[in-house]
Amino acid sequence: MVEDVDLDEPKAGEVLVKIGAAGVCRSDRHFMHGDANIALPAVLGHEGAGTVEKVGPGVTLTKPGDQVILSFVPACGRCKSCLEGNSNLCDLHMATGPFMLDGTTRLHKGGKDIHHMGKVACFAEYAVVPETGCIPTNSGISMDKAAMIGCCVPTGVGATMFSAKVQPGSTVAVVGCGGVGLNVIMGAKLLNASQIIAVDIRESQLEFAMKFGATHSVNAADRDPVAQVKELTGGRGADYTFEVFGSAETVKASYDMCAKSGTVTVVGIAPMGAEASINAVDLVRNEKTLRGTYYGSARGRTDMPTMVDLYLSGRLNLDDLVVRHYSLDQINEAYGDMDEGEVGRGAIMF
Ligand code: APR
Ligand code: ZN
């Protein structure tokens, strides 16, 4: 529902951003469907970029006029997770969730507080965000590409680079080839995987995945995807498998199609309470590694500018990734297109 709400001035350490573009990501869909929890009412949108309009007291990380990519995990730099180099898991951010870092909101309507998804809430013309959630680029890249670097790029490319650490010459299978999965494919290509198998239930997504570096495709709707991936890898399975949809079934399939001594990386967020069963003996006997990754284990402040450079040097194909543009009024149409299985990523433009 598109409606007017009140937005406070930025407080100390906060920034008012005029949103330029916001990506249409499945994570917002999870909240809309109740598959994930967020305090309501809330303004969604967590994949965004814009221009700093105004800064609150004490802000030093950015200034008015900066082009910024928004991070949905503003990292405090002081907690145990940040100090250990896992700023994507910042303890202070996790403890305050959809509130600002002081535990209050800047969004209101009729005396009621409205929550901020990921402290970003960029399905709106303006957002107040923590300064630590603003990553200045000033690269002049178009806002839709910058927005992608706020979520699907670090999540997908980061999963290959920082979480799984895909080795050159290895084989990779990617289960789910939407906006995030295509970035996993691009990451695997960048890291010189020898074989990149795209797995999806839609032929259109599989065809599209070839543009981003997939070397083979497996239609999971036709026949057991585990058997098909094994056939393509000489019976072994893939060295690295990535789950990029978010269901117990696809987590299990990603585990089962992983080779001996391989790594299974779960990127997708399954509905709350989902449990995937794996063969406990196989885990040991085949020395598999099963891990999750949040925000691609990327450190936004340093890794997002790197992703901008990778795009600018032609090694990340974001130009083909963003295929649809909408106005904010068309947001339901945008999510309808995702449900219909349209390929690539959509972006709301402001
Ligand atoms: N097997 C393989 N692929 C599947 C299956 C399945 N059983 N079911 C759905 N898919 C495919 C869809 O056809 C689609 O191409 O998974 C893809 C999901 O893509 P998007 O809807 O674009 O979702 P995306 O935004 O990429 O997010 C994927 O990552 O960050 C998380 O919360 C996000 O859980 C979500 C996941
Ligand atoms: Zn997202």
Side-chain angles (χ1 to χ4, degrees):
M1 196 159 56
V2 181
E3 56 181 299
D4 288 329
V5 299
D6 300 325
L7 181 64
D8 296 344
E9 291 285 301
K11 289 195 176 175
E14 296 174 357
V15 171
L16 174 69
V17 177
K18 187 176 194 307
I19 302 299
V24 178
C25 176
R26 182 163 286 273
S27 298
D28 306 280
R29 192 95 192 111
H30 295 327
F31 290 122
M32 294 176 208
H33 280 171
D35 286 339
N37 244 343
I38 185 167
L40 295 172
V43 172
L44 301 181
H46 64 281
E47 183 171 82
T51 309
V52 173
E53 186 118 330
K54 199 172 185 182
V55 298
V59 167
T60 56
L61 293 173
T62 184
K63 57 183 189 310
D66 276 351
Q67 181 189 30
V68 289
I69 297 170
L70 302 177
S71 165
F72 61 83
V73 182
C76 75
R78 295 193 179 99
C79 70
K80 188 168 191 285
S81 295
C82 282
L83 291 171
E84 286 175 348
N86 302 318
S87 62
N88 59 316
L89 305 177
C90 174
D91 300 343
L92 180 62
H93 166 70
M94 296 295 177
T96 47
F99 294 89
M100 298 302 277
L101 292 164
D102 68 358
T104 64
T105 72
R106 301 295 162 268
L107 290 162
H108 313 275
K109 181 160 189 167
K112 244 185 135 176
D113 288 343
I114 299 175
H115 303 85
H116 306 237
M117 179 174 178
K119 297 181 179 59
V120 172
C122 62
F123 287 157
E125 284 132 329
Y126 287 90
V128 168
V129 302
E131 65 168 322
T132 48
C134 285
I135 288 77
T137 87
N138 295 330
S139 55
I141 63 172
S142 62
M143 285 292 183
D144 55 349
K145 313 300 183 305
M148 298 300 124
I149 298 176
C151 173
C152 65
V153 176
T155 300
V157 176
T160 61
M161 269 186 190
F162 310 123
S163 314
K165 301 189 174 77
V166 169
Q167 296 299 302
S170 59
T171 56
V172 172
V174 182
V175 180
C177 301
V180 182
L182 293 170
N183 277 284
V184 173
I185 290 171
M186 283 195 266
K189 181 181 176 200
L190 206 57
L191 297 170
N192 294 315
S194 61
Q195 205 180 1
I196 303 172
I197 305 168
V199 182
D200 206 290
I201 50 172
R202 289 193 161 98
E203 207 51 53
S204 52
Q205 314 276 1
L206 293 171
E207 234 167 76
F208 194 63
M210 295 294 173
K211 272 193 177 181
F212 299 86
T215 58
H216 299 76
S217 68
V218 157
N219 192 331
D222 286 350
R223 198 157 58 82
D224 176 24
V226 175
Q228 295 190 68
V229 168
K230 288 200 167 166
E231 283 161 23
L232 289 169
T233 50
R236 295 183 70 83
D239 299 322
Y240 297 92
T241 68
F242 293 87
E243 193 283 343
V244 208
F245 170 60
S247 75
E249 179 202 344
T250 44
V251 168
K252 181 164 170 46
S254 305
Y255 177 84
D256 289 339
M257 65 177 67
C258 179
K260 205 185 271 189
S261 85
T263 300
V264 185
T265 305
V266 180
V267 182
I269 301 174
M272 280 183 299
E275 292 189 5
S277 69
I278 56 159
N279 183 324
V281 177
D282 171 79
L283 178 68
V284 176
R285 291 286 301 269
N286 287 317
E287 279 199 356
K288 291 187 184 178
T289 301
L290 173 61
R291 66 163 296 168
T293 174
Y294 189 65
Y295 223 156
S297 314
R299 284 143 305 190
R301 196 151 286 285
T302 48
D303 295 330
M304 284 181 188
T306 304
M307 307 268 166
V308 171
D309 290 343
L310 287 171
Y311 165 62
L312 288 173
S313 61
R315 279 176 293 171
L316 284 180
N317 180 9
L318 306 189
D319 291 332
D320 285 332
L321 182 69
V322 193
V323 283
R324 290 178 304 283
H325 295 91
Y326 307 89
S327 68
L328 185 59
D329 288 328
Q330 295 172 309
I331 189 156
N332 292 320
E333 191 186 314
Y335 276 93
D337 286 345
M338 173 178 275
D339 290 343
E340 294 291 312
E342 292 285 343
V343 298
R345 199 62 145 190
I348 312 282
M349 303 304 291
F350 294 88

